[in-house]
Amino acid sequence: MTNTTNIQYLSMLERFTLFSDFFMHAVFSHSRKAVQLLARIVTGKKDLIVVEWGLEVKKGFPFFRNDRYDLFIIDQYGNVYNIEIENTLQSIGKRAFHNLSVLVAQGLKSGQKHKKLQEIFLTRKDFLKQNEPFYNYQWREDRSRQKLKTGGHIRIVNGQYQGKDALGKLMHDFHCTNPDDMFYDELREAVSYFKKEPEGVNTMCEIMREFERKSENKGRAEERKKAKKRTEAIMRNLREEGMSYERIARITNQSLSKVKLFFKTQQTA
């Protein structure tokens, strides 16, 4: 890695907050204390104990799409929480319903009782623009407003909330670029490790380097895919004009066997 690249990474690292995707993942993967602080404040459960947690946990079923859950937590009573750190407000309702559905279907074994499930979206912007600390959603009957006991609960936390209570202080810390400005020791310690400690800084630089490498590889793969589609479209057009396989191969710089295989596949598709 060149000095210029190092400087670029360090400059990016200085600007990261806990709303920055892979920085947030690194911080909460590193510190159980930080995870427990976050979980207790956003759920309102002061005695919550994090027994298990994981970042970018995959959930799904064979032959169906697998989904990644930002921060997946199980407490001392077996209750499940998924906390999504969001920079966008797009399709939150549909995503929350989908996430809860998958967790319910995957988490229940034969003979087990339903556990409580909480889907929490911590959004950088105020979801309803009402300056409330959070917005709770549960299933209710339309006329009587009576709750349907499902065990599922959706909470959207307002990342712009600036109250002087615990949640307001937490949201302040989420927006901090300098850990020294943070209220909570748990977050200050975890963030300082990746921003100030040599070992943590090197880890974050390597994460950024790997992310950049994967992005470049993905970009090249997408370009190859687009080029392949363009070539195939040209081959189809040339064949419709009555050209032979041999001439199509010369024009598109493909081997004759590849051209023949392509049209054979088209006929059987």
Side-chain angles (χ1 to χ4, degrees), residues 83-98:
I83 303 175
E84 299 283 331
I85 313 298
E86 288 295 319
N87 289 290
T88 176
L89 302 178
Q90 187 175 4
S91 303
I92 282 182
K94 290 180 179 178
R95 289 172 54 208
F97 180 76
H98 171 80

Side-chain angles (χ1 to χ4, degrees), residues 180-229:
D180 293 340
D181 296 331
M182 290 180 164
F183 285 107
Y184 289 107
D185 294 338
E186 296 91 335
L187 295 179
R188 187 187 310 114
E189 179 183 326
V191 171
S192 292
Y193 172 75
F194 289 105
K195 289 215 176 201
K196 295 187 175 184
E197 297 293 329
E199 184 179 359
V201 171
N202 288 336
T203 298
M204 277 309 307
C205 286
E206 186 55 39
I207 289 172
M208 284 185 275
R209 183 184 178 192
E210 181 63 20
F211 177 79
E212 190 174 65
R213 187 162 52 239
K214 286 182 178 179
S215 297
E216 289 173 354
N217 291 339
K218 184 178 179 181
R220 285 194 289 268
E222 288 176 353
E223 277 303 312
R224 287 194 296 270
K225 190 175 180 179
K226 288 178 182 177
K228 184 173 180 285
K229 286 184 176 181

Side-chain angles (χ1 to χ4, degrees), residues 160-185:
Q160 291 183 306
Y161 178 67
Q162 298 179 0
K164 297 186 183 300
D165 55 2
L167 183 62
K169 292 177 180 178
L170 180 70
M171 292 304 93
H172 167 274
D173 288 1
F174 256 76
H175 286 277
C176 283
T177 56
N178 185 352
D180 293 340
D181 296 331
M182 290 180 164
F183 285 107
Y184 289 107
D185 294 338

Side-chain angles (χ1 to χ4, degrees), residues 94-265:
K94 290 180 179 178
R95 289 172 54 208
F97 180 76
H98 171 80
N99 287 352
L100 279 178
S101 300
V102 172
L103 291 177
V104 168
Q106 268 220 335
L108 201 61
K109 297 179 182 178
S110 178
Q112 271 190 334
K113 291 183 178 180
H114 285 275
K115 298 292 186 181
K116 291 182 180 179
L117 299 171
Q118 192 162 19
E119 181 75 9
I120 300 169
F121 282 81
L122 201 170
T123 59
R124 183 189 284 270
K125 294 185 178 180
D126 188 346
F127 181 61
L128 294 184
K129 299 180 181 178
Q130 294 179 6
N131 199 32
E132 295 292 336
F134 49 78
Y135 307 100
N136 288 324
Y137 293 87
Q138 297 187 54
W139 283 259
R140 295 176 185 269
E141 201 280 324
D142 285 346
R143 287 170 294 183
S144 68
R145 308 303 295 160
Q146 185 173 344
K147 289 182 183 179
L148 181 67
K149 294 181 180 180
T150 64
H153 178 205
I154 297 168
R155 170 172 286 189
I156 300 176
V157 178
N158 176 10
Q160 291 183 306
Y161 178 67
Q162 298 179 0
K164 297 186 183 300
D165 55 2
L167 183 62
K169 292 177 180 178
L170 180 70
M171 292 304 93
H172 167 274
D173 288 1
F174 256 76
H175 286 277
C176 283
T177 56
N178 185 352
D180 293 340
D181 296 331
M182 290 180 164
F183 285 107
Y184 289 107
D185 294 338
E186 296 91 335
L187 295 179
R188 187 187 310 114
E189 179 183 326
V191 171
S192 292
Y193 172 75
F194 289 105
K195 289 215 176 201
K196 295 187 175 184
E197 297 293 329
E199 184 179 359
V201 171
N202 288 336
T203 298
M204 277 309 307
C205 286
E206 186 55 39
I207 289 172
M208 284 185 275
R209 183 184 178 192
E210 181 63 20
F211 177 79
E212 190 174 65
R213 187 162 52 239
K214 286 182 178 179
S215 297
E216 289 173 354
N217 291 339
K218 184 178 179 181
R220 285 194 289 268
E222 288 176 353
E223 277 303 312
R224 287 194 296 270
K225 190 175 180 179
K226 288 178 182 177
K228 184 173 180 285
K229 286 184 176 181
R230 287 195 295 267
T231 300
E232 290 174 349
I234 292 170
M235 289 195 296
R236 280 193 293 268
N237 290 336
L238 294 175
R239 188 61 178 168
E240 288 172 3
E241 293 295 324
M243 287 191 184
S244 66
Y245 291 154
E246 290 79 5
R247 192 171 180 191
I248 292 172
R250 287 197 299 272
I251 291 173
T252 60
N253 197 30
Q254 302 290 306
S255 68
L256 180 58
S257 61
K258 278 188 178 181
V259 172
K260 287 182 177 180
L261 179 61
F262 169 73
F263 284 108
K264 183 180 180 180
T265 304

